[in-house]
């Protein structure tokens, strides 16, 4: 692996722990103004210092994030569809040249294994990897987005493995029963998405279980920024990811920090 690739990867997965807390705020690229992300700049500003990496689109990055903030960026470079259409029909939306101009630590693209457009999305992943490889830019493959996918170990294992076989450096998927099998069968690091907002205690348990079963981290969005106490939540998630804190202790920590801070949307 070349120096640039290693250097960028170390900005995504922290070398101190081999883990990562990625903050995902890219939802608007197909969902529009998602709850909690109506004004993305305001949402992310207090969270940035607790995120190892920020995952978002080019437009929100340029318009809403201070270039001096110092947070490594994983840029979503797929899109072109909306929640009203066929999500699997995405294309690549950002050139590698522009991604490098934005000084990204990595780029991300969704694959839709099992959809009628799986070939298109997998070849788009391969093309992106070919391009990114030229410049030492890691690629994060995002699996299992869409309505009709069954998120079990068989399906997620298939989608993760195919993404890794094509050359993705990191794969993002969902936590599921027998998650350790998904991890074991995927030769590159896995991070989990949080999914729809659930109570904080459950989201912390989900994070803990994923880490204990082999995920290198989370790429979490709604369960952080839709919490009434997003700073407390990301800090608790951080302890689980980087320090293996037990979920009940992390929840206590979340409650303590929540009491100290006013609700974000008050
Ligand atoms: C959408 C994404 C999101 O970043 C991903 O779903 C993570 O966010 P959440 O934790 O809210 O599920 O990749 O395609």
């Amino acid at each position: 692996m070349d120096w640039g690739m290693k250097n960028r990867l170390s900005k995504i997965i922290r070398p101190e722990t081999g883990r990562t807390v990625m903050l995902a705020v890219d939802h608007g690229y197909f969902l529009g103004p998602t709850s909690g992300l109506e004004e993305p700049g305001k949402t992310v500003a207090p969270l940035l210092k607790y995120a190892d990496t920020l995952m978002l689109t080019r437009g929100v990055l340029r318009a809403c994030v201070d270039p001096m903030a110092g947070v490594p960026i994983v840029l979503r470079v797929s899109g072109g569809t909306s929640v009203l259409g066929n999500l699997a029909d995405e294309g690549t939306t950002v050139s590698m040249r522009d991604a490098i101009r934005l000084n990204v630590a990595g780029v991300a693209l969704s694959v839709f294994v099992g959809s009628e457009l799986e070939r298109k999305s997998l070849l788009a992943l391969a093309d992106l990897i070919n391009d990114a490889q030229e410049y030492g830019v890691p690629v994060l493959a995002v699996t299992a987005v869409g309505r009709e996918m069954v998120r079990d170990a068989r399906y997620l294992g298939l989608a993760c493995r195919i993404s890794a076989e094509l050359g993705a450096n990191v794969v993002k998927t969902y936590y599921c029963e027998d998650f350790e099998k998904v991890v074991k069968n995927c030769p590159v690091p896995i991070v989990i998405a949080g999914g729809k907002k659930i109570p904080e205690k459950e989201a912390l348990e989900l994070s803990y279980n994923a880490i204990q079963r082999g995920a290198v981290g989370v790429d979490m969005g709604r369960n952080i920024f839709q919490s009434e106490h997003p700073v407390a939540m990301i800090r608790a998630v951080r302890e689980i990811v980087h320090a293996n804190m037990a979920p009940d202790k992390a929840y206590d920590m979340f409650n303590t920090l929540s009491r100290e801070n006013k609700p974000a949307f008050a």
Side-chain angles (χ1 to χ4, degrees):
M1 203 188 290
D2 68 33
W3 195 95
M5 176 68 81
K6 277 191 187 157
N7 176 263
R8 288 192 176 94
L9 263 178
S10 76
K11 294 179 181 172
I12 303 174
I13 300 171
R14 301 303 309 164
E16 301 86 343
T17 59
R19 302 236 174 109
T20 182
V21 175
M22 302 177 67
L23 176 62
V25 293
D26 59 325
H27 305 60
Y29 93 93
F30 69 96
L31 287 173
T34 315
S35 166
L37 287 182
E38 295 86 350
E39 296 178 87
K42 285 191 185 162
T43 304
V44 301
L47 302 173
L48 285 186
K49 66 177 169 195
Y50 304 108
D52 295 313
T53 303
L54 185 64
M55 180 189 177
L56 77 179
T57 57
R58 169 170 63 184
V60 170
L61 176 65
R62 287 200 304 225
C64 308
V65 180
D66 181 354
M68 310 295 181
V71 65
I73 299 300
V74 171
L75 192 69
R76 171 166 288 279
V77 298
S78 65
T81 58
S82 88
V83 72
L84 303 178
N86 182 354
L87 289 181
D89 204 10
E90 281 187 6
T92 304
T93 54
V94 183
S95 66
M96 196 51 58
R97 191 184 165 94
D98 205 29
I100 290 165
R101 186 181 291 121
L102 291 164
N103 198 27
V104 299
V107 290
L109 172 142
S110 289
V111 294
F112 298 87
V113 171
S115 80
E116 75 284 9
L117 289 163
E118 74 168 14
R119 180 173 185 275
K120 180 185 173 197
S121 74
L122 289 172
L123 292 181
L125 174 64
D127 283 345
L128 182 69
I129 292 166
N130 286 333
D131 256 13
Q133 198 66 31
E134 289 275 315
Y135 302 99
V137 177
V139 173
L140 170 75
V142 180
T143 68
V145 180
R147 285 178 287 255
E148 71 284 4
M149 315 292 185
V150 183
R151 291 177 184 168
D152 61 14
R154 192 152 169 248
Y155 171 71
L156 296 175
L158 175 77
C160 289
R161 180 59 179 260
I162 289 172
S163 300
E165 296 268 354
L166 289 174
N169 303 91
V170 184
V171 175
K172 169 168 161 172
T173 195
Y174 286 87
Y175 183 70
C176 62
E177 208 175 302
D178 296 326
F179 182 71
E180 57 276 19
K181 282 193 195 154
V182 178
V183 173
K184 188 169 162 240
N185 292 326
C186 180
V188 301
I190 289 187
V191 292
I192 60 144
K196 283 195 178 138
K197 173 80 177 70
I198 52 178
E200 280 81 358
K201 191 168 190 293
E202 288 172 33
L204 294 172
E205 281 163 2
L206 175 86
S207 307
Y208 181 80
N209 290 337
I211 294 294
Q212 296 309 308
R213 287 169 175 76
V216 300
V218 298
D219 186 10
M220 189 174 269
R222 288 162 289 181
N223 278 291
I224 293 172
F225 64 72
Q226 289 180 349
S227 170
E228 271 188 52
H229 301 283
V231 171
M233 188 59 184
I234 195 170
R235 289 182 65 180
V237 170
R238 241 194 122 67
E239 290 300 321
I240 288 174
V241 169
H242 285 296
N244 295 309
M245 185 181 271
D248 52 344
K249 267 188 86 178
Y251 187 57
D252 287 347
M253 178 184 162
F254 166 77
N255 283 323
T256 307
L257 291 170
S258 304
R259 282 191 291 273
E260 285 167 12
N261 292 295
K262 280 193 242 132
F265 305 114

